[in-house]
């Protein structure tokens, strides 16, 4: 069972890395933080793997990024990314995956789609933004209020990502329920 968990953690770290290949969008309003698909990776890892495995998949990815692999959106990698205005979001991915996984586990008796949607919104938006706002404020020379206002631009896209994650979870639960580890833990 441990071997299978390691493979799944590595698989979701790889999925997260692939999401970094999608183009990023830099917005001057966002304090230097780009719009990327990688927040969806944190949601997906938590919803599919559960709290601990989901968080560990992000930790694995960030370790490889710290070693210099350009796996973050826009080909970013190395220690420098941990000193950018994105740092709160980068570390927030770990907490986002963990919380999304906890919520999925807590709602294991609820229908998959609404459980995954709630887990993605709470973990992948609310928790992630809490970390992101602090990081933007600290590294982007913004007040907490200005950083929070800057994050408003991310809400529509992240809401769409949460719905997509819920659809993926529901589809997987119908076709291969044992792959939805957050419900089987």
């Amino acid at each position: 069972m441990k071997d299978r968990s390691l493979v799944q953690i590595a698989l979701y770290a790889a999925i997260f890395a692939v999401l970094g290949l999608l183009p990023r969008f830099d917005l001057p309003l966002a304090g230097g933080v780009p719009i990327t698909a990688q927040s969806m990776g944190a949601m997906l890892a938590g919803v599919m793997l559960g709290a601990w495995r989901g968080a560990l998949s992000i930790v694995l990815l960030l370790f490889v990024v710290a070693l210099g692999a350009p796996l973050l959106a826009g080909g970013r990698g190395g220690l420098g990314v941990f000193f950018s205005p994105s740092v709160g979001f980068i570390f927030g991915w770990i907490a986002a995956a963990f919380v999304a996984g906890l919520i999925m586990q807590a709602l294991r008796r609820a229908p998959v789609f609404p459980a995954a949607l709630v887990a993605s919104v709470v973990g992948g938006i609310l928790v992630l933004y809490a970390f992101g706002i602090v990081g933007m404020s600290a590294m982007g020379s913004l007040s907490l209020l200005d950083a929070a206002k800057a994050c408003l631009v991310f809400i529509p896209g992240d809401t769409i990502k949460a719905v997509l994650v819920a659809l993926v979870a529901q589809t997987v639960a119908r076709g291969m329920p044992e792959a939805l580890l957050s419900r089987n833990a």
Side-chain angles (χ1 to χ4, degrees), residues 7 31 35 65 122 150 169-170 176:
V7 168
I35 293 175
V65 166
V122 173
Q170 182 177 20
M176 198 171 164

Side-chain angles (χ1 to χ4, degrees), residues 46-47 50-51 98-111 115-116 118-119 181-185:
V47 165
F98 186 82
V99 170
L102 278 180
I103 291 170
M104 278 301 284
Q105 289 165 326
L107 298 176
R108 72 170 45 109
R109 299 215 190 308
V118 168
L181 299 178
S182 61
R183 308 281 279 197
N184 301 320

Side-chain angles (χ1 to χ4, degrees), residues 4 13 29 31 34 42 58 62 78 83 86 97 110 138 153 156-157 161 175 181:
R4 185 174 179 193
L29 304 172
I58 307 302
L62 293 182
F83 298 96
S86 298
V153 72
K161 293 172 203 172
L181 299 178

Side-chain angles (χ1 to χ4, degrees), residues 84-161:
S84 71
S86 298
V87 69
F89 290 98
I90 291 170
F91 284 114
W93 289 330
I94 299 167
F98 186 82
V99 170
L102 278 180
I103 291 170
M104 278 301 284
Q105 289 165 326
L107 298 176
R108 72 170 45 109
R109 299 215 190 308
V112 173
F113 183 86
L117 185 60
V118 168
S120 295
V121 168
V122 173
I125 297 177
L126 297 178
V127 170
L128 182 60
Y129 285 26
F131 280 81
I133 288 167
V134 171
M136 285 174 69
S137 177
M139 301 305 283
S141 301
L142 297 171
S143 70
L144 286 173
L145 180 60
D146 287 341
K149 287 179 187 175
C151 282
L152 293 175
V153 72
F154 300 125
I155 290 175
D158 285 340
T159 303
I160 292 168
K161 293 172 203 172

Side-chain angles (χ1 to χ4, degrees), residues 10-102:
L11 173 65
Y12 278 85
I15 290 169
F16 195 94
V18 168
L19 289 170
L21 297 175
L22 297 174
R24 74 184 206 178
F25 299 97
D26 293 309
L27 299 174
L29 304 172
V33 176
I35 293 175
T36 74
Q38 287 184 303
S39 57
M40 187 168 88
M43 294 176 196
L44 193 61
V47 165
M48 299 301 293
L49 296 179
W52 288 106
R53 284 181 285 238
L56 285 172
S57 71
I58 307 302
V59 169
L60 174 60
L61 181 273
L62 293 182
F63 175 73
V64 175
V65 166
L67 293 176
L71 300 176
L72 298 183
R76 297 174 300 147
L79 293 176
V81 299
F82 299 104
F83 298 96
S84 71
S86 298
V87 69
F89 290 98
I90 291 170
F91 284 114
W93 289 330
I94 299 167
F98 186 82
V99 170
L102 278 180

